[in-house]
Amino acid sequence: MTESKTLTGGALLFEVLEEHGVKHVFGYPGGAIMPIYDALYDSNVKHFLCRHEQGAAFSAVGYARAAGTVGVCLATSGPGATNLITGLADALADSIPVVAITGQVPTAAMGSDAFQEIDIFGLSLACTKHSFQVTDIDDLERVLYQAFEIALEGRQGPVLVDIPKDIQLAEVTERFDKLSHLQNKVQLPLADINQALELLNKAKQPILYVGGGVGMANAVEEVRDFAEKTGMPSVSTLKGLGSINPDNENYLGMLGMHGTKTANIAVQESDLLVVVGARFDDRVTGKLDEFAPNAKVIHFDIDTAEINKRRAADVAILGDLKANLPSLVTDLNIAAWQQKLQQMSRDFAWRYDHPGENIFAPAVLKTISDLMPSNTCVTTDVGQHQMWAAQHMSFDDPSNFLTSAGMGTMGFGLPAAIGAQISRPHDTVIAVSGDGSVMMNVQELATIKRYQVPVKVVLIDNAKLGMVRQWQDLFFDGRLSQTDLSDNPDFVMLATAFDIKARMITKKSEVNAAVEEMLDHDGPYFLQVKIDAAENVWPLVPPNTANDQMMEGV
Amino acid sequence: MKPITLNKYQLIIMADDKQVVLERILQVTRYRGFLINGINAEVNTGNNEATITMSVSSERPITLLVDQINKLIDIKGVKVDNSRL
Ligand SMILES: Cc1ncc(C[n+]2csc(CCOP(=O)(O)OP(=O)(O)O)c2C)c(N)n1
Ligand SMILES: [Mg+2]
């Protein structure tokens, strides 16, 4: 009798991962996922042990965003699974393809309040694009195929697959026919390109409003080509940064709450918005009723539900941006508009002359941006440092600026940088973090230590939850509430405890040498940059205000 | 306070018969700001297709909800049919 090797659910998982080209996964083991961790032994997939499941989820997000692929994370049932949720919510808000695998208690125990049982399937409904719970071993392979397909199809997003322990152990008897793929059920209506061209030709003050969808659609080249051939002035959302070539003379920078003055004024005065992969987020529009009040809208998106959601479109062009945008390239007669905005850009250019010896965060970030090698990937956490990075650093591709845009999740930066670095081992990866945010996933320094991930951490340390402090000063009469962090740990000692080379700087004169030392260093590096706690992010559009009514610093 | 006018709509949703599909529809409907006034769900065991009739009200346009329900993976189609209201 010949012995045919049996295939378990756990082994099948890694087979399917390998078939999808997955080389790296991030996770944390536990009781209900032990058969999968056992099968890991015999697979070619490399597993990175993170030190918290949230770290695993964010590393998967960073991996996916930096490499333009699917990120995979694993967690056990109960608390392991719930710890993934913030990362999944983040991936949903920013449309990031992630496949999360959770262990579940055995099917016979499900629904009995078993040890470490939580209804993660139920919890997943609001924080994933789609989710599955596998209760029959012969469904597992099809479900895993679908999970990858759904994560990548159309508007990308996170998919969770919950696998009970007995299914992980069970023997696969029926294989799934890989040719019977999912069908894209959404039939997109044909766009009226002629109507769009008509709007374009009539426009005297058009603006190209670039969002995160451009990178997701792999359409950076097409968008740059459109911007250059038409000469249309462009603005970008937080997630769209890097899509437009920063050297394009008609590029005006980021729009919205902390956007450039020129970008916001230009949008308010525009008579046509060509919206590519963006969704009129409230942080972008300010007071919606007063956003670009005289503009017609041509809206390109892959997601039907974004059309007319917050702003009515005069022409909607649904589907693949890469295929659709080139048909709109046309000659525009907008020299006066271009010149006016170019002049405004010069008049309102960022200034880095800052009195005194204290370090000026925008200037440090500008220095790093100027000195970092091309194709450096920068991640951020959330707060003032995030906005300064968005304002003062330049990126040559959206996959080189990873920030938690839709969800604004503190704790994103460090684990996302780890994921990014693992997906792109030959590129420099810098995490710009804050003294509040870094503590939210500080345990991931142990992941850096274990795998010697050469991430550079730049900690903008104001000893405050700076962004909240800024709002308390501006909008709550300076009644500071729970935003002081003056008893922070000794960060240099902390990093050193994880064998990470670390240095603190406090004066302007130290900046250049420290940045060079960091960039030249072979392994991980932690640069603590002390700044004045009173610095604010400018300009600022106050909440529920039109974007041309910006507050500016003195 | 300005008075809110709620519009009523009736939706007919065709879906794959999955245990979770009703939960997904309820979650999206609540989250997108629609009140459910009545719901009826039936499964055709022949083709494993579920038909869900739901009457909802909201001050928001119904297209917002239709587009979001349509995005759910297990949904085959959504129609607004106010004839039976
Ligand atoms: C998980 C999470 N909790 C709370 C917030 C609210 N929040 C936004 S910015 C911020 C302060 C961040 O402080 P820090 O990381 O030091 O950055 P800074 O603004 O000082 O540069 C807080 C608390 C958030 N965005 N995410
Ligand atoms: Mg801070």
Side-chain angles (χ1 to χ4, degrees), chain A residues 433-455:
Chain A
S433 188
D435 52 316
S437 297
V438 78
M439 294 298 285
M440 284 223 178
N441 274 315
V442 75
Q443 77 287 342
E444 296 310 316
L445 292 176
T447 313
I448 290 183
K449 174 178 182 213
R450 168 171 294 206
Y451 302 101
Q452 283 299 300
V453 192
V455 162

Side-chain angles (χ1 to χ4, degrees), chain A residues 173-342:
Chain A
T173 55
E174 257 177 65
R175 300 307 297 261
F176 149 75
D177 173 12
K178 281 151 207 167
L179 295 175
S180 66
H181 273 296
L182 265 187
Q183 309 249 319
N184 186 341
K185 67 175 175 139
V186 187
Q187 289 294 317
L188 299 172
L190 280 182
D192 195 340
I193 297 283
N194 286 335
Q195 208 189 335
L197 279 171
E198 209 172 289
L199 286 181
L200 264 180
N201 289 326
K202 270 197 224 144
K204 294 193 174 62
Q205 310 201 134
I207 291 287
L208 179 64
Y209 158 17
V210 175
V214 172
M216 312 297 307
N218 211 359
V220 171
E221 215 183 292
E222 286 73 15
V223 169
R224 287 185 177 189
D225 193 59
F226 178 84
E228 264 143 43
K229 288 196 176 137
T230 60
M232 192 181 293
S234 54
V235 299
S236 173
T237 67
L238 182 60
K239 232 195 108 193
L241 293 175
S243 304
I244 298 288
N245 182 349
D247 298 329
N248 180 320
E249 58 182 353
N250 294 307
Y251 174 56
L252 312 175
M254 186 166 75
L255 83 162
M257 183 175 273
H258 290 295
T260 68
K261 190 168 175 176
T262 312
N264 279 333
I265 292 177
V267 169
Q268 289 306 91
E269 290 185 0
S270 69
D271 61 3
L272 175 68
L273 287 176
V274 178
V275 187
V276 288
R279 59 185 176 91
F280 298 93
D281 178 79
D282 55 282
R283 283 298 190 268
V284 158
T285 60
K287 192 169 188 179
L288 186 60
D289 300 343
E290 291 170 27
F291 178 71
N294 305 316
K296 300 252 192 251
V297 171
I298 303 176
H299 196 168
F300 287 83
D301 212 287
I302 190 77
D303 181 357
T304 315
E306 290 303 340
I307 306 296
N308 302 327
K309 186 182 84 175
R310 290 191 27 96
R311 170 78 177 239
D314 296 279
V315 179
I317 305 183
L318 279 158
D320 185 4
L321 182 62
K322 204 175 170 62
N324 289 336
L325 188 61
S327 49
L328 238 65
V329 173
T330 175
D331 281 333
L332 299 176
N333 199 349
I334 53 169
W337 175 235
Q338 289 170 327
Q339 273 154 28
K340 171 179 164 165
L341 296 178
Q342 284 173 18

Side-chain angles (χ1 to χ4, degrees), chain A residues 382-385 388 408-410 434-438 440 460 462 464-468 485:
Chain A
V382 174
Q384 294 182 307
H385 63 278
W388 284 322
T409 316
M410 291 171 69
D435 52 316
S437 297
V438 78
M440 284 223 178
I460 303 294
N462 49 12
K464 290 276 184 237
L465 297 174
M467 186 57 96
V468 182
L485 299 180

